Amino acid sequence: MLAPTMPKGFDPDHHLDKVGAFHVKAEDSFHEVPRHKHRKGQLIVPLQGTITCHVEESIWMAPTGQAIWIPGHVIHSNQISSQAEFCFVFIDPGLATMPDECCTLRISSLLKELIFALAALPLSHYQTPEAQRLISVLLDQLVRQPSGKLQLPVSGHPKIKFLVDEMRKPGNVKYSAAYWAKTLALSERSFARLMVNETGLSFRPWRQQLQLLLAINQLVDGERVETIAHELGYESVTAFITMFKKALGTTPNQYRQRVAAPK
C-alpha cells in the first residue's frame, strides 16, 4: 500500500534531506504541470497511464515499465494522461551517478518495489537505519537501469514548435513533408534543412519517432491497433506492427498487455 500523495506546494529542495519518494495521482482527467525546475534530480515512474516531459530540446515520454530521469536545474513541464498514477523520486545531486541529461530508463521489478517501499514511509522515518539501507540499495539499483528510446528531439524554433503542436493533433501525423513545408510557407528543401538543423533528424525518422510516442499513448488509453495504424497514416496494420516491434522489441498488443498488468 503506497503512502498518501505528495502534498500540494511541496518543495523537494526545502522539505527533503537527500532522497524522497512519493505516490501521486492525477487530479484531473488531463493535467499539465507548468514549466519549473528544482535542485534535486527527479525520477518519474508511471504506475498507470503515461507522462510526457517537455524540456527545451526534447519531448520525453514514459509509459508503465519505464521512467523519466530529469537532472537537477533542468527546466521542464509534465503532461499527464487521464487517470494517471505514478511515483516521484527526488535525489540530491551527486548522491548517485546519474546521467547529466534527461533520458528514459527501463525500470526493473526490483527497483519498482524498492521505490514503493520508500514511498510508503513517512518522511519522519527516513533517518532510521532501515530506511537508509533501503535508500542505499535503491540508488545502487537505479544506476544499473538501461536507457530507453522514447524521446522526440525538438527545439525552440517557432516553426518546429508549431509543427510539433499541429502534428500531435488527431490524424495530422500522417501528412507528408511536402504538406508541412507548404503549411510552414517553406520550400521542401528549406523545410528539410530546418528539420536537420533543429532536430538532428530528417523528417521521416523524426515523424516515425513521433508516431511511436502517439501510438503508445493511444495503446495505453485502450485504442484498437487497427484504428491507431490508420490514424498514424500506415498503409496496413502489418506495417505499423513491424515499425512498433522494431522500435520496442514487442508488438503493440503485447506492449499493451505488459503495461496493463496489475501493479
Side-chain angles (χ1 to χ4, degrees):
M1 188 76 169
L2 290 171
T5 188
M6 187 173 68
K8 282 187 177 180
F10 184 88
D11 185 344
D13 292 338
H14 293 94
H15 298 144
L16 282 178
D17 183 15
K18 293 184 177 180
V19 178
F22 300 91
H23 175 216
V24 180
K25 291 184 178 180
E27 296 180 357
D28 305 316
S29 60
F30 193 83
H31 185 63
E32 184 161 2
V33 180
R35 286 165 56 85
H36 65 286
K37 66 177 181 178
H38 23 75
R39 183 179 59 84
K40 286 183 171 67
Q42 181 181 19
L43 186 74
I44 305 174
V45 186
L47 309 178
Q48 178 177 306
T50 60
I51 185 163
T52 305
C53 178
H54 296 248
V55 296
E56 184 178 2
E57 299 280 325
S58 297
I59 297 174
W60 298 90
M61 196 194 79
T64 306
Q66 298 205 20
I68 299 174
W69 167 249
I70 307 167
H73 302 290
V74 172
I75 298 174
H76 60 284
S77 64
N78 299 324
Q79 199 169 44
I80 302 160
S81 69
S82 61
Q83 308 303 315
E85 185 176 342
F86 45 96
C87 282
F88 283 156
V89 183
F90 295 99
I91 302 173
D92 211 46
L95 201 60
T97 308
M98 295 297 292
D100 295 327
E101 298 180 348
C102 287
C103 64
T104 56
L105 299 172
R106 282 176 255 171
I107 300 298
S108 68
S109 298
L110 173 58
L111 179 57
K112 184 184 289 188
E113 292 302 323
L114 291 168
I115 293 170
F116 287 175
L118 186 61
L121 293 179
L123 293 180
S124 59
H125 290 196
Y126 272 39
Q127 296 306 315
T128 64
E130 294 81 5
Q132 290 298 304
R133 287 195 292 270
L134 173 61
I135 290 171
S136 179
V137 177
L138 188 157
L139 295 176
D140 180 65
Q141 290 297 312
L142 178 58
V143 300
R144 300 167 183 259
Q145 303 308 300
S147 61
K149 302 178 180 179
L150 300 180
Q151 178 246 359
L152 181 74
V154 295
S155 80
H157 192 288
K159 289 188 182 294
I160 296 296
K161 292 176 70 174
F162 175 84
L163 180 69
V164 172
D165 290 342
E166 290 299 306
M167 289 187 70
R168 291 178 70 188
K169 293 178 180 179
N172 280 0
V173 74
K174 63 187 177 184
Y175 294 128
S176 66
Y179 172 89
W180 291 112
K182 184 177 180 180
T183 301
L184 295 171
L186 295 171
S187 68
E188 291 186 42
R189 180 173 294 181
S190 295
F191 177 65
R193 273 200 308 268
L194 178 70
M195 290 298 302
V196 173
N197 290 342
E198 295 296 328
T199 72
L201 295 174
S202 59
F203 178 75
R204 289 188 67 180
W206 183 89
R207 182 178 63 174
Q208 182 173 295
Q209 192 67 2
L210 176 57
Q211 289 172 322
L212 184 63
L213 299 188
L214 295 174
I216 288 171
N217 269 319
Q218 291 176 293
L219 285 168
V220 171
D221 287 342
E223 190 61 81
R224 296 172 65 247
V225 172
E226 292 80 3
T227 302
I228 297 171
H230 174 73
E231 186 171 301
L232 297 184
Y234 281 85
E235 294 182 359
S236 68
V237 175
T238 300
F240 167 65
I241 293 173
T242 299
M243 179 280 293
F244 195 96
K245 188 171 183 179
K246 183 177 181 181
L248 295 180
T250 185
T251 68
N253 278 326
Q254 289 170 340
Y255 187 91
R256 192 208 310 273
Q257 291 168 6
R258 189 176 73 201
V259 302
K263 313 298 184 296

